[in-house]
Amino acid sequence: MPVDVLVGLQWGDEGKGKIVDVLAPTYDAVARFQGGPNAGHTLTFDGIKHVLHQVPSGIFHPHILNIVGNGVVLDPIVFRAELQKLTDRGVDWAKNLYISKKAQLILPSHRTLDRINEEARGGSKIGSTLKGIGPTYSDKIGRVGLRVGHILLPDFEARYKEAVAQHASLASHYNKELEIEELEADFFSAVDFLRTLQLIDTEYLLNDLLTQGKRILAEGAQGSLLDIDFGSYPYVTSSSTIAAGACTGLGIAPRHIDKVYGITKAYCTRVGSGPFPTELHDEVGEQIRQAGREFGSTTGRPRRTGWIDLPALRYAIMLNGVTELHLMKADVLDAFTEIQACTHYRTATGESTPQLPDPGELTTITPEYRTLPGWNSDLTIITDAAKLPANLKAYLDFLEQELQVPISIVSVGPDRVSTLHR
């Protein structure tokens, strides 16, 4: 059986966790392929909100294997706290959670370096979540990072001390000290906890499942426009967030990939710094923020808001090979009599283009909008896609025509049941 991949098509926070939770019952395994605790996947069901950071979003289904792949960077302290919250809510995760021994460890010193690096940028901050993601991936590429599998070796503590010494040297270039002593006891306690879990070579598990004809859903974090290669560089994350990253982040061959689910909001948001062509700085943007509860599930930071950006979506759809779209948070636009959709950009030379320019040019373009009638009705009470208001159906038809990909799911509320299949 194939692997289906779920990715965000914007700057993250599209609602991927909810969709994984909805789709998960039809799969045998959910595998997270990149990112770390900078991600926050929110799931709501039975009136309870759950926020996952590193645990795959299929964890609430007892029959599903949940796999943390080698492309993930793992913070043992955050991971232990996350699993404790699941235990407190009656979730039995012990038998169906597996962690790759090749996943990279986030050390306390990585978090300190993240803060030091961000502070040194002054007015040109990336907008890091300060979770140590960038420094951890830097160590991975520099071939000096520690992996989950290293905690099983007798010389782990020596390896740890060597890594911290290197980080202290880096901090000294900024005339800073790491000051991580108070965090280390908690870190080593969390490492002891991590040793009790199922730490395996997950690439073998995944390929064995494929051989057995099992269905796997690969779960991405962040969004395509934050991809380290194709996002709005340098205001991006430090991993490959597009569908191709599922292969390297899980150890599966490209020939196994079948469907690619692309997740997008009915509007657009962004957290942190970087260009955002359709951003709204007025009361409309604030209305969207409040209606959509647009505050980071990991950081709590207010998200920047704007109208949907079709050139950026076309670009993300192309990169990922998206086969079907899932439109999230349509209900957030319920109160609008008119909504806008950016269809093209006007360049500095006056040319109109449907393509996303190089990130360096994004601050020089002007969005060109098409005005569409709003549905001005309460979508949260609708349980059948056939009963969606005519203006929303027209909006969906417009998006499908512009993007040339079918919209198979429309979300009209945060709860699991507020997910309409078309």
Side-chain angles (χ1 to χ4, degrees), residues 371-385:
T371 302
L372 298 105
W375 36 95
N376 203 27
S377 58
D378 183 6
L379 296 182
T380 61
I381 62 174
I382 297 176
T383 57
D384 183 351

Side-chain angles (χ1 to χ4, degrees), residues 4 84 141 223 272 344 416:
D4 296 334
Q84 183 59 55
I141 299 303
H344 294 74
R416 180 189 284 172

Side-chain angles (χ1 to χ4, degrees), residues 160-202:
Y160 171 83
K161 289 180 179 178
E162 182 179 352
V164 171
Q166 291 176 343
H167 296 162
S169 177
L170 290 172
S172 69
H173 290 293
Y174 297 96
N175 296 317
K176 300 285 186 179
E177 295 184 1
L178 292 178
E179 299 178 347
I180 60 172
E181 291 78 10
E182 293 184 3
L183 297 173
E184 287 185 314
D186 201 16
F187 173 77
F188 280 105
S189 173
V191 165
D192 286 340
F193 169 78
L194 195 58
R195 290 189 179 107
T196 69
L197 306 184
Q198 299 183 90
L199 313 180
I200 66 170
D201 296 315
T202 53

